[in-house]
Amino acid sequence: MSGTIVLLLGVAVFAAYTGMHWERARRAVFDVRLGRKRVSNLRQTAVKERAETALLVLSAGTVLFMVVRYG
């Protein structure tokens, strides 16, 4: 298994993981809009999930750049 294949598999895993975080953040924001009692907790969750998603997207972009540039 070459290094490029491993990096591409890593990008695929990042994409799936990012999708999970994005969906959780979206649900948390939607729940906040509905005005549930746990508003502050949901906002914190949404901010946390968005930050993790941004980090994952940045990481996946870096890996993709490395695959294209050096692969």
Side-chain angles (χ1 to χ4, degrees), residues 7-67:
L7 287 174
L8 288 175
L9 286 174
V11 169
V13 169
F14 269 134
Y17 194 62
T18 301
M20 292 183 329
H21 280 288
W22 186 263
E23 181 62 20
R24 279 191 225 140
R26 187 192 64 77
R27 285 184 188 163
V29 169
F30 184 71
D31 287 345
V32 167
R33 288 184 186 147
L34 290 176
R36 295 203 178 187
K37 294 178 183 176
R38 302 171 287 142
V39 170
S40 64
N41 188 23
L42 290 172
R43 283 187 182 147
Q44 290 172 352
T45 301
V47 168
K48 177 184 168 195
E49 293 294 336
R50 284 180 183 157
E52 289 180 7
T53 300
L55 181 64
L56 289 170
V57 168
L58 182 64
S59 300
T62 302
V63 169
L64 186 60
F65 171 77
M66 291 174 65
V67 167

